[in-house]
Amino acid sequence: MVKGKDKKKLKAKDTILIIGNGIAWDFYNHFKDFGLNPSKPISNFDNENINLDYFFDYIPNVRKQLLTAENKKKNNQFEPIEDYFNSIKGSPDFPRQENELKNFLMISYAFFQLRADKFDYSTWRWTEYLSKNAQRIALAVSFNYDLLLERAIETFSTYNRLSVNEPLGSIKIFKPHGSIDLDLQGPKIKDFDPRKHKVFGNNSSHLRLVPPNEWKKPRMQVDTIPPNLHNYYRNERMWLENAYKESAKLLYNHRIRHVIIAGHSYGEVDREEVNELLCNLTRKAKFYFVNPDPIPESLKKYIKSLNMHHEIYHIDPRIKEQFNIIMDQRKGALVL
């Protein structure tokens, strides 16, 4: 039973925030000197100052089959990553090839994050949004490997991530695709080399923190989950199962009135995961689709199927007056 102050806190948290790669694009557009295109990890984010050749020697299969000249020209480089994952899934050497791919994603976005950490997050509008609405956020869900969300929160508060062995914080975060600074718990090999050592990914119930000085090295227990349409890892990872259960409890217990889907296209690759979160809403809510593109018909259809008379609004983040709608608070409600 929830008592006294705890009960009031439960009622105050009425928002779930779901973010995707569009948030990284917003960071890219805000900081003009940042210069790393977040949708292009295969081509070093189209930045000539990023050179990962030393690391690619550790991942020969990825280098040969994924990091091709053709793929480097593509605007959306997550699609060839998904295609590559599908091509190796089920192969006899899948554990090693999978580890190579996860290490590629980890090292790419580690360099992305290390570059991002040179900038002042306090000037970014998403930091302002988070600081103004921190008391209202029951759960923040990030499908990104980077730490932009975490760094923004660190400028004014604390956080903790579900299924991660780290201290409790004010804002709870769920990262369904893993993170550059998190590994599966389990055996480690000093100076791990996927070309030489046997690859063994432990199916742990929680993830462990990895310090920045280990981000530039190959890791045996890395779990940056590749994009895949059929949600391959959903039932393969105990930490994911635990995090989804905890998310469900949070959304069930809190009176969620606002769902902010920001920089996430509700594309097919993540759709099942987003739906699994949204089906836990227990009352009528307002959805805010924060994206330059229109609200997808598939999202409208799913929201309608929940049969709770939810409302959905489009927020174009390029228009300041529209973006300010999710900033404002009047008597605990977002204003339209």
Side-chain angles (χ1 to χ4, degrees):
M1 180 179 291
V2 179
K3 300 179 181 179
K5 293 181 179 179
D6 292 332
K7 195 169 186 178
K8 290 182 180 178
K9 287 181 181 179
L10 268 176
K11 287 185 176 181
K13 292 187 178 294
D14 64 355
T15 300
I16 175 174
L17 172 67
I18 300 173
I19 68 171
N21 193 49
I23 295 298
W25 269 102
D26 195 87
F27 188 92
Y28 171 84
N29 290 326
H30 176 71
F31 295 103
K32 302 304 181 185
D33 294 332
F34 178 56
L36 274 65
N37 182 327
S39 296
K40 294 191 173 184
I42 293 175
S43 57
N44 294 340
F45 306 106
D46 280 357
N47 191 300
E48 60 185 15
N49 295 320
I50 302 293
N51 188 335
L52 303 180
D53 286 352
Y54 84 93
F55 193 86
F56 293 158
D57 290 338
Y58 291 105
I59 50 175
N61 294 300
V62 166
R63 186 173 202 170
K64 181 179 179 180
Q65 300 176 45
L66 179 61
L67 308 182
T68 64
E70 180 183 359
N71 285 340
K72 288 178 180 180
K73 294 177 183 177
K74 294 183 177 180
N75 288 326
N76 181 354
Q77 295 179 358
F78 295 113
E79 291 177 357
I81 292 172
E82 182 187 3
D83 291 341
Y84 176 72
F85 174 78
N86 290 332
S87 74
I88 65 174
K89 191 170 58 175
S91 69
D93 200 29
F94 177 66
R96 184 176 306 281
Q97 292 175 312
E98 176 196 36
N99 180 268
E100 283 192 21
L101 180 56
K102 289 181 177 182
N103 267 293
F104 163 69
L105 294 170
M106 179 276 295
I107 191 66
S108 296
Y109 282 94
F111 272 80
F112 180 93
Q113 187 61 49
L114 291 168
R115 171 68 178 163
D117 285 346
K118 297 182 183 297
F119 294 85
D120 181 4
Y121 285 76
S122 67
T123 67
W124 188 30
R125 62 179 176 174
W126 279 103
T127 302
E128 181 183 0
Y129 163 77
L130 289 162
S131 64
K132 283 186 173 181
N133 295 281
Q135 296 300 316
R136 304 179 61 187
I137 298 174
L139 181 65
V141 182
S142 172
F143 284 88
N144 300 337
Y145 306 120
D146 62 56
L147 304 176
L148 298 184
L149 172 65
E150 290 93 324
R151 292 291 189 262
I153 293 172
E154 283 174 350
T155 64
F156 64 88
S157 188
T158 57
Y159 64 84
N160 71 279
R161 291 166 293 187
L162 307 188
S163 290
V164 178
N165 287 326
E166 61 186 353
L168 292 176
S170 298
I171 298 179
K172 294 191 178 299
I173 298 174
F174 177 27
K175 302 193 78 170
H177 292 174
S179 186
I180 60 167
D181 66 331
L182 300 176
D183 272 4
L184 295 163
Q185 291 185 323
K188 293 172 58 179
I189 296 177
K190 185 179 180 181
D191 299 324
F192 171 68
D193 186 336
R195 298 167 299 181
K196 303 174 183 177
H197 297 122
K198 182 179 179 180
V199 174
F200 174 75
N202 188 41
N203 188 12
S204 59
S205 61
H206 286 76
L207 300 173
R208 71 171 186 90
L209 288 169
V210 179
N213 66 336
E214 295 183 25
W215 291 0
K216 294 183 180 181
K217 305 173 184 177
R219 290 162 22 198
M220 185 167 71
Q221 301 294 349
V222 64
D223 209 29
T224 40
I225 291 175
N228 62 98
L229 176 60
H230 300 292
N231 213 357
Y232 172 80
Y233 292 92
R234 174 62 183 87
N235 298 315
E236 295 286 328
R237 290 289 183 269
M238 287 192 294
W239 73 264
L240 262 180
E241 177 68 18
N242 291 340
Y244 272 108
K245 285 181 178 178
E246 190 171 351
S247 296
K249 288 180 182 178
L250 286 168
L251 299 180
Y252 181 83
N253 289 332
H254 292 287
R255 297 174 63 81
I256 301 298
R257 300 175 60 194
H258 305 288
V259 180
I260 298 177
I261 302 175
H264 193 290
S265 65
Y266 192 66
E268 283 188 288
V269 171
D270 300 337
R271 194 171 298 164
E272 286 185 21
E273 295 161 286
V274 174
N275 290 351
E276 184 169 357
L277 293 164
L278 299 182
C279 73
N280 294 298
L281 301 179
T282 57
R283 58 168 292 170
K284 178 180 177 180
K286 291 182 178 180
F287 284 69
Y288 301 83
F289 186 72
V290 186
N291 199 305
D293 298 325
I295 303 169
E297 290 301 317
S298 54
L299 178 58
K300 293 179 182 178
K301 183 178 179 180
Y302 181 74
I303 291 172
K304 186 176 181 180
S305 75
L306 296 174
N307 295 319
M308 298 186 72
H309 306 289
H310 297 305
E311 302 170 20
I312 184 166
Y313 304 94
H314 179 238
I315 302 292
D316 188 335
R318 297 169 299 185
I319 302 172
K320 184 177 181 181
E321 292 75 16
Q322 290 195 25
F323 189 83
N324 284 343
I325 290 172
I326 65 168
M327 289 283 195
D328 291 335
Q329 298 181 77
R330 296 181 188 176
K331 295 182 180 179
L334 294 178
V335 181
L336 286 173

